[in-house]
Amino acid sequence: MSVVEYKKELIPTLKKYFGYDSFRPQQEEIISSVLEQKDGLVIMPTGGGKSICFQLPSLLFPKTTLVVSPLIALMKDQVDGCNANGIAAAYFNSSQSAEEQQAIITKITKAELKLIYVAPESMPALDNIINETYISCIAIDEAHCISSWGHDFRPSYQQLGFLKKTLPNTPIIALTATADKATRQDIVEQLGIPQAKHFITSFDRQNISLTVRPADGRVEQILSFIAKRPKSSGIIYCLSRKTTEQLVTKLKAKSLKAEAYHAGLSFDERSKVQEDFIFDITKIVCATVAFGMGIDKSNVRWVIHYNMPKNIEGYYQEIGRAGRDGLTSSALLFHSYADVIQLRKFTEGATNQEVQIAKLERMKQFSEATTCRRKILLSYFGELLAENCGNCDVCKNPPQVFDGTIIAQKALSTVARIRETEAIGIVIDILRGAKNATILEKGLDKVKTYNIGHDISWKDWQHYVIQLINQGILEISFQNNNALKLTEFSKNVLFNGAKVSLTRPIEIVEKIGNPKTKTTKARKSGGLYERLRQLRHKISLEENIPAYLVFNDATLQEIEAERPQSDNEFLEISGVGQRKLEVYGDLFMNEIKAFNDEKKSKKADTHKVTYELYQQGLSIDEIAEKRGLKSPTIFSHIAKLYTEGKPINIYDFVSKSEVEAIKKAKIELDSPPALKPYFDHFEEQLDYFKIRLGLAVVEKNE
Ligand code: ADP
Ligand code: ZN
């Protein structure tokens, strides 16, 4: 196919196989470049839509596209996703029998497979196939694994340089979500594609709201957070195995479907947790950082960091597992000084300790920020955001600044009087006049500043002292039991009249949703959405693929909103391609039809009930009260019953002259379909229910 010819094919192919109408930023450029046989390096955030960048070209190439991928779980998910879309794809690995492997090889030689996924370790077994007779294109997924500069180095990736040597005319596209400059350079050098065009898309994930809160009462905060999102899936990252298990126990005690995931579990146990999560059987996974790497689940709605991550790269990668479908999602980070101290300890003895501490420091600054958090995050990755994001806690609740000089002086003089010997907790206890054992045993109740800060709560003091540390007015001596120390600036505040600005603690008002992105509406149980979800779940179990591979949440929501009734209408839905229409179309449309019919028959029933009560001689208000409905609803039933020819004494409710007036208005207004024009016409003097009843009479006599 010539360049011009395939250009015409891009959108139709996107719609036919993936069900989408348009490309996301950069996808089209990347795909065009691949189809022009050029090498490329793609840096796109998680959920940005990397897969389509090589899956779509594979459909237009004559031979097979080789996809190198590090993890079996990841490959399986992608292959299932392709097959669900009607794309011939398979993976090749050592767990397969010799016959299975041979069958795959045969398919490749006959050009019957569009995509073959393989881990570097298994490539030698495909020696006879990996050449230009059979391969049209090569995609290296998770390409950062090739570089020891990256954060997830895999030695097996380092042999991939042979690909360009063996297939010099075959385009190579390397893809990753995280790679700094050094890593990018390393990737293209090692793959032997120095001319590769770099495609770097924004790291911004606007659909994920960012929130940081103090860690006090974490468990309660988590429970109330989850209670607001009862049906959604989420991950809670913890620092230790023990925490994951304790948290799971607490969540299970509240009847939540939660499981722990950590390195202490066997391989099989971990696979089970992962699988149940992907299949929506487990809603919540409490995990150490290892979890999530091999997961493509698109409907993770939230990520919580129970403990602070050790650097911003890790944090960003972990929150990136939320909202891959582009719908509103939340990231909640708990920040505590104890965590910072713990993480600092972990760096001890590391060869690059200074780097690690510097990274931890940036993470801490992010947690304590009083300016837009997304700006800080993106600037860390070298991207500048022109405006505040509007979807982080700071943007939603900007901190209020006030003159905190006296507060600062109280804290500083306490630290001075105890000769810089105590950590933050004890200093606050002194300020607040606490009478606990430590204070009394150490005689700290004799300190001159004891109790001078009793009017400020413990939590608020903590908030202020942390700000003093961040402003360099106090310091933590990590070598010295984390005691608070004075700094150069302290003297200015204590003796030279320097002013200190502080911000007030933020009252937490949780707002769900973001004006910039589509929201996931709260949905009634028993509603259509729930039924569609159940249907999807059933299909997912029958076909043994995750529910989001049947349809992701965004697609399911669109089906609910549009309620398609024909193949063409169903195909209009974003995320529905040819194969999914064929396989799932009728199932979903039948469900919608059944739902609509039930609603209709329920309506018929409701009229019947009203009629029976009417026949018993009850007044409209009495019927309304008995049925727990509003009177206007009962009036509309009466109008309907009357129209159907039931013996209703309609003139009990509307007078003959009113009916006459309505009849005239109808002609004058040219039979408007709504009631409002009548209401306006009568200058709001005639009630809606009378208009409705009057129209029923007029229309019956027409
Ligand atoms: P990545 O591999 O970059 O993490 P994926 O390729 O898994 O991301 O894509 C994430 C989600 O976005 C998937 O559900 C995918 O179907 C969807 N997606 C990709 N491209 C588009 C597009 N052009 N329009 C709508 N959705 C898309
Ligand atoms: Zn912001």
Side-chain angles (χ1 to χ4, degrees):
M1 223 186 299
S2 76
V3 172
V4 183
E5 276 166 4
Y6 77 66
K7 283 241 173 203
K8 280 192 300 206
E9 294 298 321
L10 294 187
I11 293 284
T13 310
L14 180 68
K15 182 64 204 166
K16 180 173 174 199
Y17 288 96
F18 303 93
Y20 301 129
D21 295 319
S22 58
F23 287 106
R24 291 217 183 124
Q26 300 256 31
Q27 281 178 333
E28 190 165 2
E29 291 83 343
I30 296 165
I31 290 168
S32 301
S33 152
V34 172
L35 287 166
E36 284 165 25
Q37 314 269 339
K38 292 182 188 145
D39 299 326
L41 172 66
V42 174
I43 317 277
M44 202 185 260
T46 312
K50 284 186 284 299
S51 325
I52 284 182
C53 297
F54 55 86
Q55 287 174 354
L56 194 151
S58 82
L59 293 160
L60 301 174
F61 279 131
K63 296 169 274 180
T64 305
T65 291
L66 173 74
V67 186
V68 182
S69 177
L71 294 171
I72 292 181
L74 206 64
M75 285 185 221
K76 187 171 171 336
D77 206 57
Q78 290 229 353
V79 167
D80 286 344
C82 284
N83 291 335
N85 279 331
I87 302 170
Y91 53 81
F92 184 93
N93 67 41
S94 51
S95 73
Q96 292 163 319
S97 69
E99 290 83 55
E100 279 176 291
Q101 292 189 341
Q102 192 48 51
I104 291 167
I105 290 174
T106 308
K107 276 191 181 165
I108 298 173
T109 56
K110 292 190 185 158
E112 285 173 5
L113 271 187
K114 284 296 158 197
L115 294 147
I116 178 72
Y117 284 76
V118 57
E121 295 83 352
S122 301
M123 286 176 45
L126 282 176
D127 215 24
N128 295 331
I129 297 299
I130 302 178
N131 57 56
E132 292 184 337
T133 315
Y134 302 115
I135 301 295
S136 283
C137 175
I138 297 165
I140 316 283
D141 209 1
E142 310 289 348
H144 59 274
C145 293
I146 205 170
S147 171
S148 51
W149 294 103
H151 53 85
D152 191 28
F153 173 54
R154 281 162 195 265
S156 64
Y157 257 64
Q158 287 203 305
Q159 36 152 320
L160 297 179
F162 87 94
L163 286 167
K164 195 76 210 176
K165 290 186 193 123
T166 319
L167 299 86
N169 301 311
T170 306
I172 292 185
I173 169 173
L175 311 101
T176 170
T178 45
D180 57 18
K181 263 208 177 129
T183 311
R184 284 175 215 165
Q185 202 50 43
D186 209 11
I187 293 171
V188 294
E189 267 169 28
Q190 291 204 44
L191 289 176
I193 50 170
Q195 313 296 340
K197 188 159 179 211
H198 292 211
F199 299 92
I200 298 164
T201 57
S202 170
F203 266 68
D204 195 0
R205 299 280 310 279
Q206 284 185 8
N207 63 316
I208 303 176
S209 73
L210 307 172
T211 307
V212 182
R213 288 186 191 164
D216 318 71
R218 266 178 273 213
V219 176
E220 285 70 40
Q221 293 196 56
I222 290 174
L223 289 174
S224 88
F225 178 93
I226 295 172
K228 291 188 186 118
R229 301 159 174 81
K231 293 233 163 80
S232 53
S233 299
I235 307 173
I236 306 177
Y237 286 106
C238 310
L239 215 50
S240 72
R241 289 180 199 182
K242 215 171 103 200
T243 317
T244 63
E245 278 165 359
Q246 288 170 343
L247 201 51
V248 165
T249 310
K250 287 174 188 156
L251 295 175
K252 280 192 170 160
K254 300 277 174 194
S255 308
L256 292 165
K257 291 182 182 158
E259 296 296 340
Y261 183 102
H262 53 68
L265 301 176
S266 70
F267 178 79
D268 287 346
E269 286 169 321
R270 270 183 297 169
S271 307
K272 171 97 174 73
V273 173
Q274 182 156 320
E275 181 136 318
D276 284 353
F277 184 59
I278 288 176
F279 278 82
D280 292 335
I281 294 164
T282 300
K283 290 286 178 192
I284 302 165
V285 173
C286 301
T288 50
V289 287
F291 185 70
M293 170 68 185
I295 295 192
D296 248 342
K297 187 175 168 68
S298 70
N299 64 340
V300 176
R301 289 269 71 83
W302 50 264
V303 168
I304 294 178
H305 282 91
Y306 187 92
N307 298 104
M308 205 164 97
K310 59 178 190 283
N311 54 45
I312 288 187
E313 285 96 336
Y315 170 72
Y316 199 70
Q317 203 178 34
E318 282 149 22
I319 66 167
R321 290 175 187 142
R324 295 171 73 133
D325 51 15
L327 297 180
T328 303
S329 308
S330 315
L332 171 59
L333 162 69
F334 289 110
H335 165 252
S336 88
Y337 250 75
D339 285 352
V340 177
I341 290 165
Q342 180 79 45
L343 288 166
R344 252 190 100 99
K345 274 205 193 117
F346 287 163
T347 67
E348 277 164 20
T351 44
N352 60 347
Q353 189 187 12
E354 267 163 50
V355 178
Q356 290 194 18
I357 287 183
K359 289 198 169 194
L360 176 60
E361 190 58 30
R362 293 290 293 272
M363 188 64 222
K364 191 162 83 67
Q365 283 165 358
F366 168 81
S367 317
E368 289 156 357
T370 51
T371 54
C372 174
R373 292 199 204 273
R374 202 173 308 267
K375 271 193 170 166
I376 302 178
L377 211 51
L378 291 177
S379 81
Y380 184 86
F381 294 107
E383 207 178 304
L384 297 176
L385 202 61
E387 278 176 58
N388 288 343
C389 78
N391 196 22
C392 73
D393 53 342
V394 179
C395 282
K396 288 176 191 163
N397 274 311
Q400 294 170 339
V401 179
F402 68 99
D403 181 354
T405 310
I406 294 185
I407 290 177
Q409 286 169 345
K410 287 179 180 173
L412 296 180
S413 63
T414 304
V415 172
R417 282 172 197 280
I418 56 174
R419 289 190 207 88
E420 309 178 327
T421 50
E422 300 294 342
I424 182 165
I426 303 268
V427 172
I428 295 176
D429 279 349
I430 299 172
L431 283 160
R432 294 200 15 89
K435 295 191 171 62
N436 60 42
T438 318
I439 296 284
L440 300 178
E441 272 162 25
K442 292 190 173 178
L444 294 170
D445 52 340
K446 309 280 175 333
V447 176
K448 191 106 190 268
T449 56
Y450 183 75
N451 203 29
I452 54 165
H454 61 87
D455 54 329
I456 295 174
S457 76
W458 210 95
K459 243 175 153 172
D460 290 359
W461 263 120
Q462 189 184 29
H463 181 79
Y464 297 140
V465 173
I466 287 172
Q467 288 181 59
L468 295 176
I469 296 168
N470 288 338
Q471 293 183 25
I473 301 169
L474 274 174
E475 215 171 63
I476 294 186
S477 171
F478 289 103
Q479 298 80 13
N480 210 346
N481 287 329
N482 309 312
L484 288 180
K485 273 177 53 185
L486 300 179
T487 69
E488 282 303 299
F489 293 117
S490 313
K491 296 191 189 87
N492 289 339
V493 177
L494 278 174
F495 309 116
N496 301 333
K499 294 260 175 245
V500 177
S501 292
L502 293 175
T503 64
R504 295 206 187 281
I506 293 166
E507 276 306 309
I508 296 153
V509 198
E510 198 181 339
K511 291 182 201 146
I512 303 175
N514 165 22
K516 284 189 190 163
T517 54
K518 288 189 229 162
T519 54
T520 44
K521 279 181 272 165
R523 279 154 210 284
K524 283 187 280 182
S525 60
L528 178 58
Y529 188 74
E530 187 54 28
R531 291 180 56 158
L532 297 175
R533 234 170 54 90
Q534 294 292 345
L535 174 61
R536 178 177 70 172
H537 187 63
K538 194 171 138 243
I539 296 174
S540 120
L541 296 179
E542 279 168 11
E543 297 196 356
N544 195 26
I545 55 171
Y548 59 84
L549 289 185
V550 179
F551 286 129
N552 67 23
D553 286 1
T555 302
L556 207 63
Q557 286 182 17
E558 204 175 316
I559 295 176
E560 184 212 7
E562 300 296 334
R563 305 197 177 185
Q565 312 253 337
S566 68
D567 282 6
N568 276 339
E569 283 174 21
F570 202 75
L571 207 51
E572 289 279 299
I573 307 282
S574 174
V576 178
Q578 198 59 42
R579 179 181 180 272
K580 287 193 176 168
L581 167 71
E582 281 159 19
V583 187
Y584 306 132
D586 285 343
L587 291 173
F588 280 85
M589 285 190 283
N590 286 342
E591 193 67 38
I592 292 167
K593 192 165 171 305
F595 179 81
N596 285 344
D597 289 350
E598 274 169 39
K599 245 177 110 180
K600 263 190 218 147
S601 74
K602 263 196 201 139
K603 260 203 181 137
D605 286 348
T606 188
H607 292 135
K608 234 164 89 192
V609 177
T610 296
Y611 186 52
E612 276 163 18
L613 295 172
Y614 173 78
Q615 281 180 316
Q616 289 167 24
L618 270 65
S619 75
I620 299 299
D621 286 345
E622 282 164 351
I623 298 175
E625 201 189 324
K626 195 151 193 164
R627 299 207 53 196
L629 297 170
K630 297 216 161 68
S631 313
T633 312
I634 304 299
F635 274 119
S636 76
H637 293 173
I638 293 288
K640 181 99 196 305
L641 290 162
Y642 175 79
T643 314
E644 284 171 359
K646 296 273 179 339
I648 303 273
N649 294 326
I650 201 84
Y651 294 113
D652 289 353
F653 309 115
V654 56
S655 73
K656 289 208 163 123
S657 60
E658 282 165 344
V659 172
E660 266 320 295
I662 291 168
K663 191 174 170 185
K664 270 208 203 108
K666 190 171 184 215
I667 298 165
E668 238 171 81
L669 297 171
D670 202 13
S671 303
L675 299 183
K676 177 88 166 56
Y678 291 95
F679 192 64
D680 293 342
H681 176 83
F682 293 114
E683 295 177 336
E684 308 185 359
Q685 295 304 308
L686 200 62
D687 287 338
Y688 270 106
F689 80 86
K690 291 203 173 194
I691 299 171
R692 176 168 283 134
L693 293 169
L695 277 172
V697 179
V698 173
E699 274 157 22
K700 194 149 179 242
N701 296 335
E702 266 170 3

